[in-house]
């Protein structure tokens, strides 16, 4: 027994506490900020993760983010932002409409829409690339309430899926399930898994469909009602709409409400701080995009991995088609949301807007 442990036990004894009854040290319960990641113990039916991890964020970084997104929002007019926005939107030659909002760390918030045809009626932007972020938020609320555990096996809800005994709810959120993209056929025979659960990362719409099934079973309600009650009504996002689609979810909302959702998520106003940080704990490298990492229905992008981009790190959510993006910038501490109708890069518009913000 080392000197530090002897000293600790003596202090507990003096306080009348048994070491077995004493509260555990914070770092023993929560691994953030320690600079190390212990690999999970081997489990039958699962494989060790063979891909790349991103370095963890520290507690102090999450505290800094929470402070930046906790200021009260005040609408402002920013001619410089408008000029940059129009230039970036017009550069998307195949886009018919672009919607954007930007919230600065001091609380100033700007929003605008651009349409290729000014006479066209405005439409509520669609954010299908962000659907998982909303689904993951509802699930983490259930985890916080003790209704679900991230370690729960999939066979609790979908025993017919291959390897359901070894796939966890966390695998569905993290896209590490290895499930085939299609559901079992009419004969009930499932397609083979792509990889052993937990051993690799691979985006798969089947994970999202099964996640919706879990949420609907736990809350005993359709997914659109679940998200409306748990997110939109809870945070007064009165124009945010959810609609169930075959195997997925559609999200429609003004850009300003999407920015508010992102700030609420990172500000621990939708679930507890432990759940927020857990979503960014294991960040799996996305093989097809340099500097891109996936957590629990959230993503991180290290822009410096692309030599053409200025150094910055984004936390948020975006889709593989790059037509919607919600990002918090670690450099400027601003939050931006951009949706593109048609074809075009929402990230390029987001970068143009963030470049107008003075780094914090």
């Amino acid at each position: 027994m080392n000197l530090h442990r002897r000293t600790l036990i003596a202090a507990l004894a003096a306080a009348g506490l048994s070491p077995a009854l004493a509260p555990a040290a914070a770092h023993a319960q929560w691994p953030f900020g320690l600079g190390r990641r212990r690999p999970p113990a081997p489990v039958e039916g699962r494989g060790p993760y063979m891909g790349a991890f991103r370095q963890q964020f520290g507690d102090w970084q999450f505290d800094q983010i929470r402070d930046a997104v906790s200021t009260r929002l005040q609408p402002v007019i920013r001619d410089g932002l408008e000029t940059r926005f129009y230039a970036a939107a017009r550069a998307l030659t195949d886009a018919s409409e672009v919607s954007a909002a930007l919230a600065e760390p001091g609380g100033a918030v700007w929003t605008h829409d651009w349409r290729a045809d000014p006479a066209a009626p405005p439409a509520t932007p669609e954010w299908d690339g962000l659907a998982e972020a909303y689904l993951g938020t509802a699930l983490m609320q259930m985890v916080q309430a003790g209704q679900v555990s991230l370690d729960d096996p999939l066979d609790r809800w979908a025993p017919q899926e291959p390897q359901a005994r070894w796939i966890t709810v966390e695998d569905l959120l993290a896209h590490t399930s290895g499930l085939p993209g299609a559901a079992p056929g009419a004969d009930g025979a499932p397609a083979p898994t792509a990889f052993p659960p937990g051993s690799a990362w691979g985006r798969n719409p089947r994970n999202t469909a099964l996640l919706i099934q879990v949420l609907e079973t736990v809350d005993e309600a359709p997914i659109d009602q679940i998200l409306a009650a748990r997110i939109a009504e809870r945070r007064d996002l009165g124009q945010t709409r959810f609609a169930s689609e075959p195997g997925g979810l559609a999200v429609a909302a003004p850009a300003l409400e999407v920015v508010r959702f992102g700030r609420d998520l990172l500000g621990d106003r939708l679930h507890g701080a432990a759940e927020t940080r857990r979503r960014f704990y294991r960040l799996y490298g996305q093989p097809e995009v340099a500097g891109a990492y996936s957590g629990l229905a959230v993503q991180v992008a290290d822009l410096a991995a692309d030599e053409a981009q200025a150094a910055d790190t984004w936390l948020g959510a975006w889709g593989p088609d790059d037509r919607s993006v919600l990002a918090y910038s670690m450099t400027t501490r601003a939050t931006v949301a951009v949706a593109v109708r048609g074809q075009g890069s929402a990230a390029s518009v987001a970068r143009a807007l963030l470049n107008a913000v003075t780094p914090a």
Side-chain angles (χ1 to χ4, degrees):
M1 183 183 296
N2 59 39
L3 179 61
H4 174 74
R5 181 163 176 77
R6 288 196 190 100
T7 304
L8 177 60
I9 291 176
L12 293 172
L17 289 174
S18 163
L21 299 178
H27 62 77
Q29 301 178 42
W30 203 245
F32 301 117
L34 298 184
R36 63 181 181 270
R37 178 186 289 106
R38 293 190 183 92
V43 176
E44 180 186 357
R46 296 180 61 85
Y49 182 70
M50 304 301 292
F53 276 125
R54 187 194 184 278
Q55 181 181 2
Q56 294 173 5
F57 291 103
D59 281 339
W60 67 272
Q61 291 172 298
F62 282 107
D63 292 340
Q64 184 183 77
I65 292 169
R66 185 178 58 239
D67 290 343
V69 299
S70 295
T71 51
R72 184 171 180 175
L73 293 178
Q74 297 290 338
V76 297
I77 297 173
R78 292 274 195 265
D79 292 338
L81 281 176
E82 196 165 308
T83 300
R84 286 175 178 264
F85 172 66
Y86 277 124
R90 291 192 183 103
L92 307 180
T93 54
D94 294 324
S96 60
E97 188 170 349
V98 182
S99 300
L102 176 78
E104 299 176 28
V109 61
W110 168 95
T111 185
H112 211 75
D113 298 304
W114 170 88
R115 290 184 292 279
D117 179 5
T124 303
E126 297 178 353
W127 306 83
D128 295 349
L130 275 59
E132 286 184 23
Y134 289 90
L135 294 170
T137 298
L139 181 70
M140 295 308 284
Q141 290 176 357
M142 296 178 183
V143 170
Q144 182 180 9
Q147 296 172 278
V148 179
S149 168
L150 291 175
D151 294 326
D152 283 345
L154 179 59
D155 65 358
R156 176 178 170 185
W157 295 278
Q160 77 282 358
E161 296 292 334
Q163 301 294 318
R165 181 181 177 187
W166 309 117
I167 294 170
T168 67
V169 171
E170 181 172 355
D171 287 322
L172 300 180
L173 270 180
H175 287 287
T176 55
S177 70
L179 283 168
D187 59 356
T193 54
F195 50 80
S199 66
W201 180 90
R203 187 183 297 278
N204 186 344
R206 187 75 188 132
N207 292 324
T208 304
L210 288 166
L211 177 60
I212 291 174
Q213 181 179 334
V214 171
L215 294 172
E216 291 184 331
T217 303
V218 173
D219 258 9
E220 299 181 340
I223 191 61
D224 56 331
Q225 295 180 20
I226 293 172
L227 297 180
R230 287 183 170 272
I231 298 175
E233 295 172 12
R234 177 172 177 174
R235 297 304 304 166
D236 195 24
L237 304 176
Q239 298 181 67
T240 298
R241 299 287 182 268
F242 305 101
S244 179
E245 294 185 335
L249 175 76
V251 181
L256 178 57
E257 290 201 356
V258 175
V259 160
R260 288 178 52 202
F261 164 73
R263 284 167 54 93
D264 285 344
L265 191 160
L266 293 173
D268 306 328
R269 294 185 289 274
L270 282 165
H271 42 54
E275 286 69 35
T276 302
R277 300 176 189 203
R278 182 65 184 81
R279 296 179 73 170
F280 290 93
Y281 175 41
R282 287 191 179 91
L283 294 166
Y284 301 87
Q286 298 181 17
E288 71 275 15
V289 183
Y293 300 86
S294 180
L296 298 185
V298 290
Q299 288 151 293
V300 171
D302 291 324
L303 301 190
D306 182 347
E307 295 180 359
Q309 303 299 333
D312 194 3
T313 297
W314 288 3
L315 286 71
W318 42 85
D321 59 7
D322 195 19
R323 287 187 292 179
S324 59
V325 60
L326 167 63
Y328 169 87
S329 162
M330 295 284 285
T331 298
T332 65
R333 303 188 193 177
T335 306
V336 65
V338 179
V340 174
R341 186 181 296 272
Q343 298 296 323
S345 170
S348 66
V349 179
R351 283 193 294 269
L353 295 174
L354 287 172
N355 286 342
V357 180
T358 303

